[in-house]
Amino acid sequence: MKNNQTKEIIPGIHHITAITNSANVNLKFYTEALGLRLVKKTVNFDDPYTYHFYYGDEPGTPGTILTFFPWENMPPGKQGAGQVTGIAFLIPQHAIDFWKSRLEELRLSFETEKRFDEEVVRFADPHGLSLELVETKRLPDIRPWDRSTIPPQYSIRGFHSATATLNSVTESAMLLTDTLGMQKVASAEKRTRFQMATGVGSGVYYDIVENPDVPGGRMGSGTVHHIAFRARNDTEQKRWQKIIAARGLNVTPIIHRKYFRSIYFRESGGVLFEIATDPPGFLIDEDISKLGEKLMLPDCYESRRQEIEKRLPDLDAAVA
Ligand code: ZN
């Protein structure tokens, strides 16, 4: 029997990063159609001619952040085993009919299902990334953007959960519960739900759908690259690094990402996990009123700003 009182628990999802192949289409979809705020417009730190977009709530709270690498010529990927195959957003109670009408207006087909007593609407973004909306009674304490295209009573309040598809749940589930401190809270048919921290806030659930027959996914446009979980500070992150290494997993050194610090490791089911610090956050280089308006470059690229801006894709072109 483990001593649960001293067990560390991951507090929630920090961000989810996906791949797409048109920066312009991606930007318009997430800001105009879904009403999220672009909280940071920067470049891929390893590939500065590619944007890196971060969408979220007004200040960019961990648990609300969906990020994209829009590689313009990236062929479509294939969703499958070893990937996060569903990204679910929280919406307020009684918002689901509004969203169904909105998806119809946007000519996006959707399906609905009941999942653990909650109504879920499933649809895909313009590049095939699987998205979901889940109504909740307990809204997390986050601030939707006051200039959102969506009225505040309906607006997205960060993540509800992420779903991974795996060929086998057993070993990955042990990592979640024994190492990362999550709690198995529900299961039905092929789906098992794990809860982080106290279950309050955005992004506190991680679901695994087990299907031994699903072929492995292939990275490309419309697929998730990785999921990041939160560390509240650097001390917590260092502790996680030790705990994960002690489990025999290959965890990276701490990498500075300007808006957070990161460690990465791959879980046995194939999903790339990251643990990212809450601080310093997205207000480190921009005022809250101006988040996402200007291209923010890390210091190492600032001297090349003109050249980089010229080569980045046009974000003002009309989208058909
Ligand atoms: Zn990340």
Side-chain angles (χ1 to χ4, degrees):
M1 187 76 187
K2 288 210 169 67
N3 181 354
N4 281 324
Q5 284 180 325
T6 59
K7 198 162 157 183
E8 304 296 331
I9 304 172
I10 287 280
I13 295 170
H14 185 286
H15 66 267
I16 298 174
T17 294
I19 301 169
T20 183
N21 66 13
S22 166
N24 191 21
V25 170
N26 181 265
L27 179 65
K28 289 185 170 60
F29 180 77
Y30 284 93
T31 56
E32 292 171 16
L34 298 192
L36 300 180
R37 183 179 199 183
L38 178 68
V39 294
K40 198 62 65 184
K41 179 164 60 176
T42 183
V43 293
N44 181 335
F45 289 4
D46 304 315
D47 172 14
Y49 304 118
T50 300
Y51 277 115
H52 191 181
F53 293 152
Y54 292 81
Y55 303 103
D57 70 343
E58 182 152 283
T61 309
T64 73
I65 304 295
L66 179 59
T67 103
F68 286 91
F69 293 129
W71 278 297
E72 297 295 312
N73 298 313
M74 175 63 70
K78 195 166 72 78
Q79 296 198 11
Q83 290 179 335
V84 168
T85 50
I87 298 169
F89 293 110
L90 281 168
I91 53 169
Q93 245 191 325
H94 312 303
I96 216 152
D97 289 336
F98 167 87
W99 279 100
K100 286 179 185 169
S101 311
R102 182 154 186 94
L103 294 173
E104 276 164 12
E105 275 168 31
L106 295 165
R107 296 202 179 86
L108 288 174
S109 59
F110 61 88
E111 290 168 22
T112 57
E113 67 171 77
K114 259 272 197 276
R115 184 185 298 164
F116 303 133
D117 292 330
E118 290 176 317
E119 198 176 353
V120 179
V121 176
R122 278 191 291 137
F123 61 105
D125 87 350
H127 298 105
L129 186 70
S130 295
L131 302 176
E132 298 172 332
L133 299 167
V134 184
E135 265 196 4
T136 184
K137 286 182 199 143
R138 288 192 305 173
L139 274 187
D141 184 23
I142 63 147
R143 280 157 58 184
W145 188 27
D146 65 359
R147 279 174 280 161
S148 173
T149 52
I150 306 293
Q153 66 269 34
Y154 305 126
S155 63
I156 286 172
R157 307 302 173 91
F159 296 124
H160 172 276
S161 54
T163 296
T165 299
L166 303 182
N167 288 141
S168 165
V169 69
T170 317
E171 208 180 321
S172 302
M174 270 167 55
L175 171 77
L176 299 180
T177 55
D178 297 358
T179 306
L180 302 181
M182 297 184 199
Q183 226 188 335
K184 182 177 157 183
V185 288
S187 65
E189 296 174 38
K190 293 173 177 168
R191 181 179 294 268
T192 310
R193 171 158 294 172
F194 300 87
Q195 184 185 291
M196 292 164 251
T198 55
V200 178
S202 46
V204 294
Y205 297 115
Y206 184 77
D207 289 5
I208 296 178
V209 169
E210 182 182 44
N211 189 338
D213 303 323
V214 169
R218 195 183 61 240
M219 206 69 89
S221 177
T223 62
V224 170
H225 187 267
H226 65 267
I227 179 167
F229 299 101
R230 291 175 53 205
R232 292 183 193 89
N233 51 51
D234 295 290
T235 313
E236 268 191 25
Q237 185 179 54
K238 283 194 190 101
R239 205 181 298 140
W240 283 120
Q241 196 184 27
K242 269 190 201 148
I243 291 170
I244 292 154
R247 199 188 160 85
L249 289 165
N250 200 0
V251 57
T252 67
I254 291 162
I255 300 169
H256 288 248
R257 296 296 189 198
K258 190 167 182 181
Y259 307 107
F260 42 84
R261 288 169 280 279
S262 302
I263 54 173
Y264 301 86
F265 61 102
R266 201 173 288 279
E267 59 92 27
S268 62
V271 181
L272 183 60
F273 278 7
E274 172 184 350
I275 293 181
T277 54
D278 288 357
F282 296 99
L283 304 179
I284 189 181
D285 58 358
E286 282 179 299
D287 186 82
I288 190 160
S289 63
K290 307 257 185 229
L291 279 186
E293 288 178 10
K294 194 177 162 215
L295 176 71
M296 301 311 291
L297 293 174
D299 293 345
C300 59
Y301 295 135
E302 200 51 65
S303 62
R304 291 164 56 193
R305 174 176 283 274
Q306 257 194 330
E307 176 227 345
I308 289 171
E309 282 184 344
K310 223 180 190 166
R311 283 184 53 176
L312 282 167
D314 180 10
L315 299 179
D316 296 321
V319 170

